Amino acid sequence: MEFKGKSVIITGAGKGIGRSVAILLAQRGAQIVGINRSRETLETLSAETGARIVTADLSDPAQARAAMKDAGTCDYLINCAGTNVLEPVLDMTDEGYETVLGINLRAALICSQEFARARVAAGGGGVIVNVTSIAGHRGFQDHLCYAASKAGLEGATRVMAKELGPHGIRAVAVAPTVTMTELAVEAWSDPANSEPMMVRHPIGRFAEPEDVARSIAMAMSDDAAMVTGSVITVDGGFLAV
């Protein structure tokens, strides 16, 4: 799965899954365009991979559209930018809803729209990968808005596949389980939290960012040319049991 001569836009490229997939794809020959709110993390990514960087707060629709214009016409788009606000159903706030849905869903739709418009204008072709979550498939405590955003993005992925397929554009969702980013390591280091979740994973561990990155690369590759509108779960068997 080599990507020499190809270009890819990655939102949320500064850290976590976004950074891991940027590094992996750069190693496989792709030119990276990283979009993130933090310029500092993007600058370190650029130093490591040669990525071109675009700083933007994707929760602002105008900034999201401007960032995609700055990114230019590329071969692939990976929507990795995401956030969460832990609130139970009875205590959901307007602020929490706007924060989570604004980044996880609206920004991904805007970036996908701008990417698709550019690809159609260029003659078609390309791949959109939307990073979702098993939280869109199972009900986790305090994840009301997060679950809604990820399930919504999977539904949107199917619509993208249907409408953009005639233009040669594929759209795929990749849904990871708990992924051991820096923040996740802190959240899941307590066995009281991790063990009840771990027993649901037949493979016996949580995902590493590199696991998800490799699955994204697989979904992007020409080997997956007939894969569109699908949800690829990277969950160690969680949803199977």
Side-chain angles (χ1 to χ4, degrees), residues 85-206:
V85 175
L86 294 175
E87 293 177 337
V89 174
L90 297 179
D91 295 326
M92 183 190 75
T93 63
D94 293 344
E95 292 78 13
Y97 175 93
E98 292 294 338
T99 296
V100 176
L101 274 293
I103 288 287
N104 295 3
L105 185 55
R106 182 177 61 203
L109 299 187
I110 288 172
C111 291
S112 296
Q113 181 187 56
E114 294 295 338
F115 172 83
R117 285 173 170 171
R119 290 304 315 163
V120 170
V127 182
I128 298 168
V129 178
N130 293 317
V131 178
T132 62
S133 170
I134 60 168
H137 299 255
R138 295 291 186 270
F140 294 110
Q141 183 74 30
D142 298 336
H143 281 63
L144 177 66
C145 291
Y146 187 81
S149 70
K150 295 302 187 178
L153 187 53
E154 289 184 2
T157 300
R158 289 185 279 272
V159 176
M160 292 177 195
K162 180 175 179 61
E163 295 188 1
L164 301 177
H167 299 285
I169 301 170
R170 294 192 294 115
V172 181
V174 172
T177 184
V178 173
T179 303
M180 301 306 284
T181 62
E182 292 180 7
L183 289 177
V185 168
E186 294 182 18
W188 294 96
S189 60
D190 183 353
N193 292 332
S194 63
E195 287 179 4
M197 187 69 166
M198 183 65 74
V199 298
R200 294 284 306 277
H201 290 70
I203 207 167
R205 65 179 179 88
F206 295 142

Side-chain angles (χ1 to χ4, degrees), residues 182-240:
E182 292 180 7
L183 289 177
V185 168
E186 294 182 18
W188 294 96
S189 60
D190 183 353
N193 292 332
S194 63
E195 287 179 4
M197 187 69 166
M198 183 65 74
V199 298
R200 294 284 306 277
H201 290 70
I203 207 167
R205 65 179 179 88
F206 295 142
E208 296 294 332
E210 293 76 16
D211 294 318
V212 184
R214 286 191 289 269
S215 296
I216 292 171
M218 177 183 68
M220 291 167 54
S221 76
D222 290 342
D223 289 343
M226 280 296 287
V227 179
T228 191
S230 303
V231 179
I232 300 171
T233 54
V234 187
D235 66 349
F238 179 91
L239 294 178

